[in-house]
């Protein structure tokens, strides 16, 4: 509650009285069983590989593991008074090929978002989902989402492996946002006003602004071999209008079973991280 109050306070100056757009019809199937969308478990520190670099992170990242996702997260501490109000980054859509022998579609999704950590009760995110059928072309799709409302695919933008996609996510208030998607070679593709989904009549989900993240998700097992995703120009802004970098980021590795980790994460610099597929 405290955070929400702060959020409203910090943003009051930029909020207009009128809604951003006509509210969309809200889905009816929002149950609490979706509450722990992205559960994580904290691991020992020290398993992280930090790449040698002239500009190394100043803090030792905490390492968490998840069954579904992997990447880097910036999170505020309850005693810190700021919250995150925007996040951005770029990545190249990886070229992916079918590699398994299980005859199921493989998949991976690349996301940049606000409030996916620790459990993503309500989060605002945008990214690219990749579906790799055993035979036939790989499907790459851009989408935006204010979870728990389902993904809204921007199917009017065809994307391909090798495209450089830049994403900027702004929480204008705790219940309204703007997502800007650019294609490096084409310029701005879309500027999408977002509105928090309804929770109950008269009450919406809202963002707490407690984390921002750059991740790859295994949204529908088995995971596709995405080789590696490099997020660059990664940064976020706080309710104090400060820009924050990856220097304080923690990492999440993807570990569906006790014995194996499917990903490796490195914080390469204050503005770049890499998520590698390990198979
Ligand atoms: C991004 O730019 C590339 C190169 O110009 C183009 O092939 C691709 O279709 C563009 N993607 C979108 C979504 O506009
Ligand atoms: C929300 O933020 C975006 C990006 O900064 C801005 O373009 C837009 O005008 C803002 N909307 C409102 C209602 O403040
Ligand atoms: C996460 O993975 C678990 C176990 O593999 C699966 O049961 C669950 O549905 C997945 N959740 C999401 C949000 O993908
Ligand atoms: C974005 O990243 C590229 C590649 O790392 C770098 O050359 C460029 O200076 C960055 N731009 C900004 C605005 O940080
Ligand atoms: C994933 O794909 C890349 C590029 O095709 C390949 O070099 C790598 O060996 C693959 N990784 C695994 C674990 O299969």
């Amino acid at each position: 509650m405290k955070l929400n109050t702060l959020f409203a306070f910090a943003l009051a100056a930029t909020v207009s009285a009128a809604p951003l757009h006509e509210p969309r019809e809200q889905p009816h199937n929002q149950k609490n069983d979706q509450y722990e969308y992205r559960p994580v478990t904290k691991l020992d520190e020290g398993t992280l590989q930090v790449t040698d670099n002239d500009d190394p992170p100043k803090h030792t990242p905490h390492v968490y593991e998840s069954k579904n996702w992997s990447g880097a997260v910036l999170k505020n501490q309850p005693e810190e008074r700021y919250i995150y109000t925007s996040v951005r980054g770029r990545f190249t859509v990886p070229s992916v090929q079918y590699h398994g022998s299980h005859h199921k579609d493989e998949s991976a999704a690349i996301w940049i978002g606000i409030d996916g950590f620790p459990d993503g009760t309500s989060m605002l995110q945008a990214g690219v989902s990749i579906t790799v059928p055993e035979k036939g072309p790989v499907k790459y799709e851009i989408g935006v989402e204010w979870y728990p409302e389902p993904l809204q695919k921007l199917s009017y933008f065809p994307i391909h492996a090798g495209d450089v996609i830049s994403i900027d996510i702004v929480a204008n208030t705790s219940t309204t946002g703007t997502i800007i998607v650019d294609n490096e070679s084409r310029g701005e593709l879309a500027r999408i006003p977002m509105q928090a989904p309804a929770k109950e009549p008269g009450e919406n989900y809202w963002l707490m602004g407690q984390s921002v993240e750059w991740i790859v998700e295994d949204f529908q097992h088995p995971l596709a071999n995405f080789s590696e995703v490099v997020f660059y120009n990664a940064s976020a802004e706080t309710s104090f209008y400060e820009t924050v970098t990856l220097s304080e980021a923690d990492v999440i590795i993807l570990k569906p079973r006790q014995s194996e980790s499917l990903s490796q994460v490195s914080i390469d610099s204050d503005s770049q991280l890499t998520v590698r597929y390990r198979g």
Side-chain angles (χ1 to χ4, degrees):
M1 261 310 145
K2 192 175 133 225
L3 285 173
N4 193 26
T5 310
L6 274 169
F7 197 113
F9 175 74
L11 289 162
T14 60
V15 182
S16 62
L20 280 181
H21 63 111
E22 289 305 310
R24 279 175 280 158
E25 196 180 316
Q26 304 289 352
H28 301 292
N29 58 345
Q30 285 149 14
K31 299 259 169 59
N32 282 339
D33 57 9
Q34 290 176 312
Y35 186 80
E36 281 207 315
Y37 182 65
R38 285 181 178 164
V40 289
T41 309
K42 191 163 179 187
L43 292 180
D44 290 343
E45 291 169 34
T47 52
L48 175 72
Q49 311 230 344
V50 178
T51 310
D52 277 343
N53 196 290
D54 291 343
D55 189 17
K58 291 163 207 74
H59 98 132
T60 305
H62 294 290
V63 180
Y64 297 83
E65 68 177 37
S66 163
K67 290 184 165 49
N68 308 84
W69 61 297
S70 179
V73 61
L74 280 172
K75 50 190 174 45
N76 65 1
Q77 303 300 325
E79 67 275 14
E80 290 178 295
R81 293 180 53 239
Y82 67 84
I83 56 168
Y84 298 103
T85 52
S86 75
V87 59
R88 65 180 55 86
R90 290 175 186 216
F91 55 86
T92 302
V93 178
S95 170
V96 182
Q97 280 166 0
Y98 197 80
H99 71 290
S101 52
H102 32 64
H103 308 297
K104 284 186 191 160
D105 287 4
E106 299 169 348
S107 64
I110 304 163
W111 293 111
I112 294 174
I114 300 180
D115 275 355
F117 186 96
D119 57 18
T121 308
S122 172
M123 60 183 168
L124 182 58
Q125 58 178 11
V128 170
S129 73
I130 305 172
T131 308
V132 194
E134 188 176 12
K135 298 195 176 69
V138 179
K139 199 157 83 179
Y140 298 97
E141 294 168 296
I142 305 192
V144 299
E145 180 177 58
W146 196 316
Y147 186 83
E149 191 166 85
L151 179 72
Q152 211 183 309
K153 286 177 180 166
L154 310 182
S155 44
Y156 38 94
F157 295 123
I159 56 162
H160 319 94
D163 287 0
V164 179
I165 303 293
S166 156
I167 289 173
D168 196 344
I169 297 175
V170 179
N172 294 99
T173 69
S174 59
T175 54
T176 62
T178 306
I179 293 179
I180 301 157
V181 183
D182 286 89
N183 175 335
E184 191 162 80
S185 13
R186 289 231 176 136
E188 185 168 310
L189 292 180
R191 176 178 288 260
I192 303 146
M194 303 290 292
Q195 186 131 22
K199 194 172 193 174
E200 317 169 342
E203 193 196 346
N204 281 4
Y205 284 92
W206 46 273
L207 292 177
M208 299 203 292
Q210 58 185 1
S211 77
V212 289
E213 55 279 333
W214 299 262
I215 69 152
V216 178
E217 181 175 25
D218 180 8
F219 66 94
Q220 170 199 304
H221 315 293
L223 180 62
N225 174 359
F226 55 88
S227 301
E228 64 175 34
V229 176
V230 182
F231 291 94
Y232 58 103
N233 300 143
S235 71
E237 265 162 29
T238 71
S239 47
F240 292 163
Y241 304 100
E242 281 168 345
T243 300
V244 285
T245 66
L246 296 175
S247 60
E248 302 286 319
D250 291 326
V251 308
I252 298 109
I253 57 170
L254 183 62
K255 207 156 177 279
R257 281 186 288 276
Q258 209 54 36
S259 55
E260 57 182 79
S261 142
L262 287 183
S263 73
Q264 187 188 61
V265 178
S266 59
I267 308 288
D268 307 321
S269 75
D270 276 2
S271 62
Q272 181 179 311
L273 71 119
T274 304
V275 185
R276 287 189 184 80
Y277 176 78
R278 286 179 28 149

Short mmCIF file of all heavy atoms in Angstrom, two decimals, residues 85-119:
data_model
loop_
_atom_site.label_atom_id
_atom_site.label_comp_id
_atom_site.label_asym_id
_atom_site.label_seq_id
_atom_site.Cartn_x
_atom_site.Cartn_y
_atom_site.Cartn_z
N THR A 85 9.55 3.39 -12.73
CA THR A 85 8.46 3.92 -13.54
C THR A 85 8.65 3.65 -15.04
O THR A 85 7.72 3.84 -15.81
CB THR A 85 8.33 5.44 -13.33
OG1 THR A 85 9.62 6.03 -13.56
CG2 THR A 85 7.87 5.76 -11.92
N SER A 86 9.86 3.25 -15.43
CA SER A 86 10.04 2.88 -16.84
C SER A 86 11.25 1.97 -16.99
O SER A 86 12.11 1.92 -16.10
CB SER A 86 10.20 4.12 -17.73
OG SER A 86 11.48 4.69 -17.56
N VAL A 87 11.28 1.27 -18.11
CA VAL A 87 12.39 0.36 -18.40
C VAL A 87 12.56 0.30 -19.92
O VAL A 87 11.57 0.43 -20.66
CB VAL A 87 12.14 -1.04 -17.78
CG1 VAL A 87 10.86 -1.67 -18.31
CG2 VAL A 87 13.32 -1.99 -18.04
N ARG A 88 13.80 0.14 -20.36
CA ARG A 88 14.01 0.03 -21.80
C ARG A 88 15.18 -0.88 -22.11
O ARG A 88 15.98 -1.21 -21.23
CB ARG A 88 14.22 1.40 -22.44
CG ARG A 88 15.48 2.13 -21.99
CD ARG A 88 15.60 3.47 -22.69
NE ARG A 88 14.40 4.26 -22.48
CZ ARG A 88 14.20 5.03 -21.43
NH1 ARG A 88 15.11 5.12 -20.48
NH2 ARG A 88 13.10 5.72 -21.30
N GLY A 89 15.28 -1.26 -23.35
CA GLY A 89 16.40 -2.08 -23.80
C GLY A 89 16.19 -2.48 -25.25
O GLY A 89 15.12 -2.26 -25.83
N ARG A 90 17.26 -3.02 -25.84
CA ARG A 90 17.22 -3.50 -27.23
C ARG A 90 17.78 -4.89 -27.29
O ARG A 90 18.62 -5.25 -26.47
CB ARG A 90 18.17 -2.70 -28.10
CG ARG A 90 17.80 -1.33 -28.36
CD ARG A 90 18.94 -0.71 -29.13
NE ARG A 90 18.65 0.68 -29.27
CZ ARG A 90 18.94 1.39 -30.34
NH1 ARG A 90 19.61 0.84 -31.33
NH2 ARG A 90 18.61 2.65 -30.41
N PHE A 91 17.36 -5.62 -28.29
CA PHE A 91 17.96 -6.94 -28.52
C PHE A 91 17.76 -7.31 -29.98
O PHE A 91 16.88 -6.74 -30.66
CB PHE A 91 17.33 -8.01 -27.60
CG PHE A 91 15.83 -8.10 -27.71
CD1 PHE A 91 15.22 -8.89 -28.67
CD2 PHE A 91 15.02 -7.36 -26.85
CE1 PHE A 91 13.83 -8.97 -28.78
CE2 PHE A 91 13.62 -7.42 -26.95
CZ PHE A 91 13.04 -8.23 -27.92
N THR A 92 18.56 -8.23 -30.45
CA THR A 92 18.42 -8.75 -31.81
C THR A 92 17.60 -10.04 -31.73
O THR A 92 17.90 -10.90 -30.89
CB THR A 92 19.81 -9.04 -32.41
OG1 THR A 92 20.56 -7.83 -32.38
CG2 THR A 92 19.69 -9.53 -33.85
N VAL A 93 16.60 -10.15 -32.56
CA VAL A 93 15.79 -11.37 -32.56
C VAL A 93 16.68 -12.53 -33.02
O VAL A 93 17.27 -12.47 -34.10
CB VAL A 93 14.58 -11.21 -33.52
CG1 VAL A 93 13.75 -12.48 -33.57
CG2 VAL A 93 13.73 -10.02 -33.10
N PRO A 94 16.85 -13.56 -32.17
CA PRO A 94 17.80 -14.62 -32.53
C PRO A 94 17.25 -15.55 -33.61
O PRO A 94 16.03 -15.69 -33.77
CB PRO A 94 17.98 -15.39 -31.22
CG PRO A 94 16.73 -15.14 -30.45
CD PRO A 94 16.23 -13.78 -30.86
N SER A 95 18.16 -16.15 -34.33
CA SER A 95 17.77 -17.15 -35.32
C SER A 95 17.69 -18.49 -34.59
O SER A 95 18.64 -18.89 -33.91
CB SER A 95 18.84 -17.17 -36.41
OG SER A 95 18.63 -18.28 -37.24
N VAL A 96 16.56 -19.16 -34.70
CA VAL A 96 16.34 -20.37 -33.90
C VAL A 96 15.96 -21.53 -34.82
O VAL A 96 15.21 -21.34 -35.78
CB VAL A 96 15.20 -20.12 -32.88
CG1 VAL A 96 14.98 -21.33 -32.01
CG2 VAL A 96 15.50 -18.91 -32.02
N GLN A 97 16.51 -22.71 -34.51
CA GLN A 97 16.14 -23.90 -35.28
C GLN A 97 15.66 -24.99 -34.35
O GLN A 97 16.10 -25.06 -33.21
CB GLN A 97 17.35 -24.41 -36.06
CG GLN A 97 17.58 -23.61 -37.33
CD GLN A 97 18.94 -23.86 -37.93
OE1 GLN A 97 19.74 -24.63 -37.40
NE2 GLN A 97 19.22 -23.20 -39.03
N TYR A 98 14.81 -25.84 -34.86
CA TYR A 98 14.33 -26.98 -34.08
C TYR A 98 15.52 -27.86 -33.73
O TYR A 98 16.34 -28.16 -34.58
CB TYR A 98 13.31 -27.77 -34.90
CG TYR A 98 12.47 -28.70 -34.06
CD1 TYR A 98 11.39 -28.20 -33.35
CD2 TYR A 98 12.77 -30.06 -33.98
CE1 TYR A 98 10.61 -29.04 -32.57
CE2 TYR A 98 11.99 -30.90 -33.20
CZ TYR A 98 10.91 -30.38 -32.50
OH TYR A 98 10.15 -31.22 -31.73
N HIS A 99 15.62 -28.28 -32.45
CA HIS A 99 16.78 -29.11 -32.11
C HIS A 99 16.44 -30.38 -31.36
O HIS A 99 17.30 -31.20 -31.12
CB HIS A 99 17.80 -28.29 -31.32
CG HIS A 99 17.35 -27.97 -29.91
ND1 HIS A 99 16.34 -27.09 -29.63
CD2 HIS A 99 17.79 -28.43 -28.72
CE1 HIS A 99 16.18 -27.01 -28.31
NE2 HIS A 99 17.04 -27.81 -27.75
N GLY A 100 15.18 -30.55 -30.97
CA GLY A 100 14.85 -31.69 -30.12
C GLY A 100 14.42 -32.92 -30.91
O GLY A 100 14.46 -32.94 -32.14
N SER A 101 14.02 -33.96 -30.15
CA SER A 101 13.52 -35.17 -30.80
C SER A 101 12.21 -35.56 -30.15
O SER A 101 11.82 -36.71 -30.15
CB SER A 101 14.56 -36.28 -30.64
OG SER A 101 14.90 -36.38 -29.28
N HIS A 102 11.54 -34.57 -29.55
CA HIS A 102 10.33 -34.84 -28.76
C HIS A 102 9.06 -34.59 -29.56
O HIS A 102 7.97 -34.76 -29.04
CB HIS A 102 10.36 -33.95 -27.52
CG HIS A 102 11.04 -32.64 -27.77
ND1 HIS A 102 10.53 -31.73 -28.66
CD2 HIS A 102 12.21 -32.14 -27.34
CE1 HIS A 102 11.37 -30.70 -28.73
NE2 HIS A 102 12.39 -30.93 -27.95
N HIS A 103 9.17 -34.14 -30.80
CA HIS A 103 8.03 -33.91 -31.69
C HIS A 103 7.04 -32.88 -31.17
O HIS A 103 5.89 -32.85 -31.58
CB HIS A 103 7.30 -35.24 -32.00
CG HIS A 103 8.23 -36.29 -32.49
ND1 HIS A 103 8.94 -36.17 -33.66
CD2 HIS A 103 8.61 -37.46 -31.94
CE1 HIS A 103 9.70 -37.23 -33.82
NE2 HIS A 103 9.54 -38.03 -32.79
N LYS A 104 7.47 -32.03 -30.23
CA LYS A 104 6.59 -30.95 -29.76
C LYS A 104 7.17 -29.63 -30.24
O LYS A 104 8.38 -29.50 -30.39
CB LYS A 104 6.61 -30.90 -28.23
CG LYS A 104 5.82 -31.96 -27.53
CD LYS A 104 5.89 -31.60 -26.05
CE LYS A 104 5.37 -32.70 -25.16
NZ LYS A 104 5.88 -32.54 -23.79
N ASP A 105 6.30 -28.62 -30.38
CA ASP A 105 6.79 -27.29 -30.70
C ASP A 105 7.73 -26.81 -29.58
O ASP A 105 7.45 -27.03 -28.40
CB ASP A 105 5.63 -26.28 -30.76
CG ASP A 105 4.78 -26.46 -32.00
OD1 ASP A 105 5.04 -27.40 -32.79
OD2 ASP A 105 3.84 -25.66 -32.18
N GLU A 106 8.80 -26.16 -29.97
CA GLU A 106 9.69 -25.55 -28.98
C GLU A 106 9.40 -24.05 -28.94
O GLU A 106 8.91 -23.49 -29.92
CB GLU A 106 11.15 -25.78 -29.38
CG GLU A 106 11.49 -27.25 -29.44
CD GLU A 106 12.84 -27.54 -30.08
OE1 GLU A 106 13.45 -26.63 -30.68
OE2 GLU A 106 13.29 -28.69 -29.95
N SER A 107 9.73 -23.42 -27.81
CA SER A 107 9.41 -22.00 -27.75
C SER A 107 10.33 -21.25 -26.79
O SER A 107 10.97 -21.85 -25.93
CB SER A 107 7.96 -21.80 -27.32
OG SER A 107 7.80 -22.30 -26.02
N ALA A 108 10.33 -19.95 -26.96
CA ALA A 108 11.04 -19.05 -26.04
C ALA A 108 10.45 -17.66 -26.25
O ALA A 108 10.00 -17.34 -27.35
CB ALA A 108 12.54 -19.02 -26.34
N ALA A 109 10.43 -16.87 -25.19
CA ALA A 109 9.95 -15.50 -25.32
C ALA A 109 10.97 -14.57 -24.67
O ALA A 109 11.55 -14.89 -23.64
CB ALA A 109 8.59 -15.33 -24.64
N ILE A 110 11.19 -13.45 -25.32
CA ILE A 110 12.14 -12.45 -24.83
C ILE A 110 11.31 -11.26 -24.35
O ILE A 110 10.52 -10.71 -25.13
CB ILE A 110 13.07 -12.00 -25.98
CG1 ILE A 110 13.77 -13.23 -26.58
CG2 ILE A 110 14.07 -10.96 -25.50
CD1 ILE A 110 14.37 -12.96 -27.96
N TRP A 111 11.51 -10.89 -23.09
CA TRP A 111 10.66 -9.86 -22.51
C TRP A 111 11.46 -8.76 -21.83
O TRP A 111 12.50 -9.04 -21.22
CB TRP A 111 9.79 -10.44 -21.38
CG TRP A 111 8.75 -11.42 -21.72
CD1 TRP A 111 8.74 -12.75 -21.40
CD2 TRP A 111 7.51 -11.16 -22.38
NE1 TRP A 111 7.57 -13.33 -21.83
CE2 TRP A 111 6.80 -12.37 -22.43
CE3 TRP A 111 6.92 -10.01 -22.93
CZ2 TRP A 111 5.54 -12.48 -23.01
CZ3 TRP A 111 5.67 -10.12 -23.51
CH2 TRP A 111 4.99 -11.35 -23.55
N ILE A 112 10.91 -7.56 -21.88
CA ILE A 112 11.36 -6.47 -21.02
C ILE A 112 10.12 -6.04 -20.26
O ILE A 112 9.05 -5.89 -20.86
CB ILE A 112 11.95 -5.31 -21.86
CG1 ILE A 112 13.22 -5.80 -22.56
CG2 ILE A 112 12.23 -4.08 -21.00
CD1 ILE A 112 13.82 -4.81 -23.53
N GLY A 113 10.23 -5.88 -18.94
CA GLY A 113 9.01 -5.60 -18.21
C GLY A 113 9.20 -4.94 -16.85
O GLY A 113 10.31 -4.79 -16.35
N ILE A 114 8.07 -4.56 -16.29
CA ILE A 114 7.99 -3.98 -14.94
C ILE A 114 7.17 -4.93 -14.06
O ILE A 114 6.11 -5.39 -14.47
CB ILE A 114 7.29 -2.60 -14.96
CG1 ILE A 114 8.05 -1.61 -15.86
CG2 ILE A 114 7.15 -2.02 -13.55
CD1 ILE A 114 7.41 -0.21 -15.94
N ASP A 115 7.70 -5.24 -12.88
CA ASP A 115 7.00 -6.00 -11.83
C ASP A 115 6.87 -7.51 -12.09
O ASP A 115 5.97 -8.15 -11.54
CB ASP A 115 5.62 -5.40 -11.52
CG ASP A 115 5.69 -4.27 -10.50
OD1 ASP A 115 6.79 -4.01 -9.97
OD2 ASP A 115 4.65 -3.65 -10.23
N GLY A 116 7.78 -8.09 -12.86
CA GLY A 116 7.77 -9.55 -13.03
C GLY A 116 8.38 -10.29 -11.85
O GLY A 116 8.29 -11.50 -11.77
N PHE A 117 9.01 -9.59 -10.94
CA PHE A 117 9.71 -10.21 -9.83
C PHE A 117 9.12 -9.72 -8.52
O PHE A 117 8.86 -8.52 -8.40
CB PHE A 117 11.20 -9.81 -9.89
CG PHE A 117 12.05 -10.51 -8.87
CD1 PHE A 117 12.76 -11.64 -9.21
CD2 PHE A 117 12.13 -10.02 -7.57
CE1 PHE A 117 13.55 -12.29 -8.26
CE2 PHE A 117 12.91 -10.68 -6.63
CZ PHE A 117 13.62 -11.80 -6.98
N PRO A 118 8.92 -10.57 -7.50
CA PRO A 118 9.23 -11.98 -7.52
C PRO A 118 8.16 -12.86 -8.13
O PRO A 118 8.46 -13.95 -8.57
CB PRO A 118 9.39 -12.31 -6.03
CG PRO A 118 8.50 -11.35 -5.34
CD PRO A 118 8.48 -10.11 -6.17
N ASP A 119 6.91 -12.41 -8.15
CA ASP A 119 5.89 -13.36 -8.59
C ASP A 119 5.02 -12.84 -9.73
O ASP A 119 4.23 -13.58 -10.27
CB ASP A 119 5.02 -13.80 -7.42
CG ASP A 119 4.37 -12.61 -6.72
OD1 ASP A 119 4.31 -11.53 -7.32
OD2 ASP A 119 3.91 -12.78 -5.59
#
